[in-house]
Amino acid sequence: MVNVVITPTVANLLKERGITEANVKETVDYGESTKDKAVLPAEKLNWAVKRIGAATFAVQYKDSGEVTTAFSYKVALKAITDFVSEDKTDWIYAKTNEQMYRIRADMEYIGVVRAASAWGCKSSPTAFIEEFMAIKTIAIAQMLLEKKKGA
Amino acid sequence: MSAPPEVFFPSINTDWHGHAAKRFAGPFVGVPFDRVDVDPIILPHAAIINGYTLKEFYMRPKLGLASVCWTNELYDLLPVTHWFYSNVWLRELGCKLEFKETLPPVVTGDRPIKNPEDADKLHIPDVSEIEKGPTFSGFVEGYDFVKQYFPNWFVPIHFTFCLTAMAAELTGVDKFMLWTLKQPKICHKLMETVMETSTNGAIALAKRYGFAMMVIGGVLANSDLLQPAKVKEFGMDYHIKHVKKAFKGGAGPQLWYHLCGNHSRDYMIWKDEFFSPFTVMHIGYMGKESFPVSEAKKVYGNMATIMSSVDTKLMYRGTPKEVYDVSKQMILEGKDSPRGFVHGCACEVPAYTPPGNIYAMVKAAREWGKY
């Protein structure tokens, strides 16, 4: 198991984003124990994702256990629907050593299902939503969905 | 607060707006309300039917946006307003725009790229330079006005237009099309320059307003002019980079892909576009015919809200009966599309379209698009 290390900078980030250390540890433990995670060997970086309660948590951490970032989103993965194998990322799916590529996944939030792009591969049950998508695009989309649902 | 003179029109009916807002939300939240929504993509038509000119629409953003609000209530259309024009963000790269009496702004005069060597000399304006430029200033003039006087109508839009068409305008369309075969590296350089510039425009708007819906066209990148592989190479691949970078800078989450013109040979490749939870897919034509709603639903219905495409020539030259009949058929085919359906025109409704033809679209939606 990896010993999670949270620097003061990351601790502030977690606080800003309402993520607890327990969320981080649970997510990392899940990634490590199942290998349902992505890795970036050149940078000795890992990316674990876990649904905990009403949110999905994503943690990126070094092999040493030092967390580099963490973010969360409320939309839940419903199904991976399409694979765009030409648009590749350097991230590798740890369980099968496959290079990941862009996928399209159905995401559900407050009963609404919409599609969005993420990283993944055919062997992975997990959609790896990038940080910019999670903290900007998806966050605003969630807010708009809440507003529109109440319109 | 009393409205200043530049509000131009009486207050919008708030009951109507509330109803339209609920209807507009329907396709995106999976809770259809009232009837199929209608968006004929009204731009200068709104100014013209209210006694102003096409040129005034483009030169006076506040008037343009207010006239679209008023016209949307008049026709019972959308609860949001918009104002944009093709050839955006090109003045920042050295092009001159001419505002015409009867046409949208056109690029005029000498182009900044006269020969392949010029491509390396282009300067990509950064976000702070974009913020001082004419394109951003025009949008801000309009959106600040809407935010203040029509806050419920406010959706800041980053208009990308067509990156391929814009890159072509830097040197002239004929030359650019030839270079796609003979000098593809130069075309890529121009595409990259235009893409980065437009991305910085999106980031600047998102920085000012907190978000920015992106309207992205595939106008020159179509089946009449390019092979599907080239449509991908000089069109979609740049869309993907553009959207990712703009999203990283805070733009989105709404994406509207407007594939103008004939996409009979390339419409399948756009499945690989980058999608957000608020994506609309709108394809203009299959050959010379309106793109079939049934095919749009089959290919894109599970990925995005789809939009139909009444032929703009029919809107301009056809009778209300013809527009009504076509609309009825499209609405019946599209209204149950899984991620929502909006009834629209293949492109911006022609400025001088008879108002009766827009009413025919709405009447068909009321009678055949009920939920």
Side-chain angles (χ1 to χ4, degrees):
Chain A
M1 277 299 166
V2 165
N3 285 322
V4 170
V5 178
I6 295 174
T7 62
T9 309
V10 171
N12 283 336
L13 185 75
L14 297 181
K15 197 174 166 189
E16 272 172 33
R17 294 181 176 176
I19 299 171
T20 65
E21 283 193 29
N23 296 148
V24 170
K25 283 178 182 157
E26 191 174 339
T27 305
V28 171
D29 284 349
Y30 170 78
E32 290 300 312
S33 60
T34 61
K35 297 297 169 205
D36 179 24
K37 65 170 185 173
V39 293
L40 199 54
E43 296 182 31
K44 297 184 176 175
L45 209 54
N46 304 265
W47 180 359
V49 174
K50 186 168 194 264
R51 186 82 181 167
I52 304 171
T56 300
F57 294 85
V59 181
Q60 292 183 1
Y61 55 99
K62 293 181 181 170
D63 288 351
S64 64
E66 184 186 327
V67 174
T68 57
T69 190
F71 48 95
S72 67
Y73 40 90
K74 293 184 246 178
V75 296
L77 174 67
K78 194 170 160 65
I80 294 172
T81 54
D82 298 283
F83 300 90
V84 186
S85 54
E86 274 190 37
D87 188 7
K88 289 183 170 22
T89 169
D90 290 335
W91 286 96
I92 288 168
Y93 185 56
K95 204 180 256 182
T96 56
N97 273 330
E98 273 176 90
Q99 187 175 13
M100 299 204 300
Y101 40 83
R102 190 150 49 82
I103 58 164
R104 193 164 27 250
D106 278 348
M107 316 272 187
E108 185 169 15
Y109 182 58
I110 54 173
V112 182
V113 178
R114 303 289 300 182
S117 294
W119 296 123
C121 64
K122 286 193 174 160
S123 320
S124 163
T126 300
F128 292 82
I129 295 177
E130 286 181 271
E131 185 170 14
F132 75 90
M133 280 287 281
I135 64 168
K136 292 179 176 169
T137 317
I138 300 278
I140 298 174
Q142 287 168 175
M143 190 187 72
L144 289 174
L145 280 172
E146 287 161 11
K147 194 175 161 196
K148 283 176 187 286
K149 265 279 208 181
Chain B
M1 182 174 66
S2 63
E6 65 263 33
V7 169
F8 309 105
F9 301 102
S11 300
I12 299 293
N13 180 318
T14 51
D15 288 343
W16 171 80
H17 188 271
H19 187 91
K22 201 167 174 183
R23 187 172 65 216
F24 181 59
F28 302 97
V29 298
V31 184
F33 173 73
D34 181 17
R35 61 160 168 86
V36 163
D37 224 342
V38 179
D39 181 8
I41 319 176
I42 290 195
L43 288 164
H45 174 79
I48 288 162
I49 62 163
N50 287 295
Y52 297 95
T53 66
L54 181 145
K55 189 175 181 178
E56 283 178 294
F57 176 85
Y58 290 112
M59 296 200 73
R60 299 170 64 187
K62 294 176 189 173
L63 169 68
L65 284 152
S67 62
V68 171
C69 290
W70 182 246
T71 304
N72 279 0
E73 182 187 348
L74 175 72
Y75 287 131
D76 193 9
L77 303 174
L78 306 185
V80 291
T81 186
H82 49 237
W83 175 87
F84 45 74
Y85 52 92
S86 50
N87 298 319
V88 280
W89 312 108
L90 287 175
R91 282 178 283 180
E92 284 74 1
L93 292 170
C95 290
K96 289 188 190 110
L97 276 195
E98 186 181 349
F99 288 80
K100 314 277 274 186
E101 295 297 335
T102 55
L103 287 172
V106 294
V107 178
T108 185
D110 283 349
R111 305 304 162 100
I113 305 298
K114 294 181 182 58
N115 54 61
E117 293 74 41
D118 291 339
D120 288 326
K121 296 176 195 160
L122 277 177
H123 167 69
I124 298 170
D126 63 22
V127 173
S128 65
E129 288 169 314
I130 285 280
E131 286 168 337
K132 295 175 197 129
T135 307
F136 182 80
S137 303
F139 281 119
V140 164
E141 182 187 332
Y143 291 143
D144 280 0
F145 166 75
V146 174
K147 202 173 172 189
Q148 182 173 4
Y149 294 109
F150 300 91
N152 295 337
W153 292 74
F154 178 66
V155 177
I157 293 176
H158 169 71
F159 190 55
T160 301
F161 182 46
C162 170
L163 295 171
T164 323
M166 289 158 66
E169 288 290 3
L170 292 175
T171 190
V173 174
D174 292 347
K175 202 187 282 181
F176 183 86
M177 296 310 287
L178 185 65
W179 284 357
T180 61
L181 302 170
K182 307 270 183 192
Q183 301 263 18
K185 279 187 185 169
I186 303 300
C187 291
H188 282 298
K189 178 80 187 165
L190 299 182
M191 291 291 308
E192 198 74 28
T193 301
V194 163
M195 185 274 289
E196 294 285 358
T197 302
S198 186
T199 301
N200 288 339
I203 293 169
L205 285 168
K207 200 173 128 195
R208 187 174 184 95
Y209 299 113
F211 68 109
M213 172 178 173
M214 297 180 73
V215 179
I216 305 176
V219 180
L220 198 64
N222 72 41
S223 293
D224 284 334
L225 298 168
L226 294 170
Q227 293 291 330
K230 294 281 181 192
V231 169
K232 179 182 177 304
E233 180 182 349
F234 292 106
M236 193 188 67
D237 287 352
Y238 285 92
H239 285 192
I240 294 167
K241 284 191 209 174
H242 175 52
V243 172
K244 281 187 187 175
K245 283 193 168 192
F247 276 17
K248 280 180 188 171
Q254 306 98 325
L255 276 175
W256 176 25
Y257 291 116
H258 168 62
L259 309 181
C260 209
N262 168 24
H263 289 275
S264 56
R265 291 181 298 157
D266 62 71
Y267 71 90
M268 291 295 284
I269 70 165
W270 303 91
K271 281 168 69 177
D272 293 349
E273 282 274 24
F274 196 86
F275 282 67
S276 86
F278 286 114
T279 303
V280 176
M281 183 56 77
H282 181 211
I283 311 176
Y285 292 92
M286 175 85 96
K288 290 184 177 173
E289 304 297 323
S290 289
F291 195 84
V293 173
S294 55
E295 192 64 10
K297 187 166 79 173
K298 189 171 89 184
V299 178
Y300 290 101
N302 280 310
M303 302 174 197
T305 298
I306 59 165
M307 191 161 158
S308 53
S309 294
V310 177
D311 184 0
T312 50
K313 294 187 292 298
L314 187 73
M315 290 302 295
Y316 183 55
R317 295 182 196 146
T319 65
K321 176 74 166 66
E322 288 170 317
V323 173
Y324 176 89
D325 289 345
V326 164
S327 294
K328 174 186 167 184
Q329 184 203 337
M330 290 180 169
I331 289 164
L332 290 173
E333 284 178 23
K335 66 181 283 194
D336 63 348
S337 193
R339 302 283 178 262
F341 172 71
V342 177
H343 182 47
C345 290
C347 193
E348 165 196 346
V349 71
Y352 298 95
T353 290
N357 284 354
I358 293 175
Y359 176 57
M361 290 177 77
V362 174
K363 185 174 170 66
R366 285 178 181 155
E367 293 174 358
W368 302 99
K370 275 275 178 205
Y371 287 116

